[in-house]
Amino acid sequence: MKDIHILAPGPLMPMVLDQLGEKFTLHRLWEQQDKDAYLKSVAPDVRGLAVGGHVKVDQAFISHFPKLEMVSNFGVGYDSVDAKYAGQHKIIVTNTPDVLTEEVADTCLGLVLMTVKEMPQSEQWLRAGHWANKSPYPLTHTTLRGQKVGIFGLGRIGKAIAKRLEAFGVEIAYHNRRKVADVSYPYYNSLQELAAAVTMLISVAPGGPETHHIINADVFKALGPKGIFINIGRGSAVDEQAMIAALKNKVIWSAGLDVFEHEPHVPAELIALDNTVLLPHIGSGTHHTRNLMGQLVVDKLTSWFAGKGPITPVAETPWKK
Ligand code: NAP
Ligand code: 8YV
C-alpha cells in the first residue's frame, strides 16, 4: 500500500504514526517548515487523512485534496470534521466509537462524585493544613442521595453512565432527539423540560452546529439553585459565559467539567470559582484506551485501502466501497 498517500496534519500517538508510516506513504504536515508549500506539493496525491480533534477538517481544508477518500478521526466525537460536506463529496469519515465508552463513563462517575462531594476542595483543605490547624472540612450541602439525574445524550457513553448511576440508586431521565427503544428511563421532549425535572444534568451530547450553545441561561435557570451540571460531552454545547454567570449568581449550585468551549483555554473566572471541579479533557485518557483508539485509526485506513470497506463510518457518510 506504499503507493497510497496519507496525510497527518497534526501530531498523533507514535503507535499510530509508526504503523501508518510502515504501511503507507505518510506525510507529517506539522513537522514541515513551510506548511503551505508542503501541503500544495503533496495534496494532489493524498487519499486519506489521519486526524485528531485539534485539527479543523472543514470545507476549505478538505478542498485541498482532489483524491481524498477517507478521513480517519482519532476520537468518537468528530465535530472538528465537516462530515456533511465530506458526505456530499463521497469522502468517508470514520471515528473511534465503543472502545472508549466504559473509560469515559468511569471518568464521568468520578467527576460526579468529585463535584457532589467536593472532593478536590476537601483534599485541598487537608493539603493546606486546615484540617489540623482550623477544623474538619465543612459538611457538603449536596449528596447523591435523592438526586434525579438527567442525561442529555443517551447514546453509547450516556447509557454506560446511566448503568453506573443505577448502582448508586439515583433516578435517571434523559433527552435525545429520538426516544431510545431499549431503555425504560423517562424521556423528555426538550432539554429545558429535562433540566426542569432533574437535580443534576449530565451532558454527553456531541459538539457541532446542532448543539452549539444549546445549554444556555434558560437551561441553567430551569435546573435551578440546587442544580449540579456535569459536562463530559463537548464544551461547545455550553454557552460558557452563561454558565459562569449561573455559577457566580447561584442560579445553579455547582459544575463538574471535563470539556470546555475553547480548549485548552479555560476562563480564569471558571478557575477562580470554588463551586467548580475542572478536569483537562481526560475522559478517555488512559494508555489502555488511547491505544485502542489509535489502533482503530490505523485499521480503518488499512481496511478501506485494502478494498475491505469502511469500519464504523459516521452517520453522514454511511456508504460502502
Ligand atoms: P453516541 O452514541 O452517538 O451518543 C450521542 C447521543 O447524543 C445520542 O443518543 C444522540 O441521540 C444524542 N444527540 C445527538 N445530537 C443531539 C441533539 N442535537 N439533541 C439531543 N440529543 C442529541 O455517541 P457517544 O459515543 O456516546 O459519544 C458522545 C459524545 O461524547 C461524543 O460525540 C463526544 O463529543 C463526547 N466524548 C467526550 C469524551 C471526553 O473525553 N470527555 C470522550 C469521548 C466522547 P439522537 O441521535 O436520538 O439525538
Ligand atoms: C479524545 C474525545 O481523547 O473521543 C472523543 O470524542 O473527546 C476523546 O476521547 C480526544 O478527542 C482526543 O483528543
Side-chain angles (χ1 to χ4, degrees), residues 106-244:
D106 290 347
T107 307
C108 183
L109 259 293
L111 187 52
V112 165
L113 290 170
M114 286 168 83
T115 308
V116 169
K117 298 177 80 67
E118 299 175 15
M119 284 173 171
Q121 297 92 326
S122 60
E123 202 218 25
Q124 206 43 51
W125 185 271
L126 178 153
R127 287 181 190 275
H130 296 333
W131 187 20
N133 301 325
K134 209 163 159 182
S135 67
Y137 186 75
L139 304 183
T140 65
H141 288 281
T142 53
T143 165
L144 260 189
R145 304 302 100 229
Q147 291 278 351
K148 182 167 177 181
V149 181
I151 298 181
F152 172 49
L154 193 78
R156 289 170 292 245
I157 299 170
K159 283 185 194 171
I161 293 168
K163 197 171 157 192
R164 283 159 175 73
L165 284 170
E166 276 186 29
F168 283 88
V170 299
E171 279 184 65
I172 297 163
Y174 74 102
H175 167 69
N176 283 356
R177 288 166 299 187
R178 288 168 289 267
K179 219 170 160 179
V180 179
D182 60 349
V183 301
S184 56
Y185 311 128
Y187 173 74
Y188 286 84
N189 273 316
S190 74
L191 174 57
Q192 190 142 342
E193 285 172 80
L194 177 70
V198 299
T199 55
M200 180 189 297
L201 180 67
I202 301 182
S203 179
V204 207
E210 237 193 283
T211 58
H212 185 257
H213 282 197
I214 198 168
I215 302 165
N216 57 22
D218 292 338
V219 172
F220 292 122
K221 200 171 164 204
L223 187 57
K226 288 186 179 163
I228 297 167
F229 175 60
I230 303 290
N231 194 2
I232 193 88
R234 277 291 180 268
S236 62
V238 181
D239 180 341
E240 212 161 61
Q241 288 308 313
M243 178 175 65
I244 291 168

Side-chain angles (χ1 to χ4, degrees), residues 103-104 107 281-287 289-290:
E103 194 80 71
V104 180
T107 307
H281 200 147
I282 59 163
S284 66
T286 62
H287 286 293
T289 293
R290 291 280 172 90

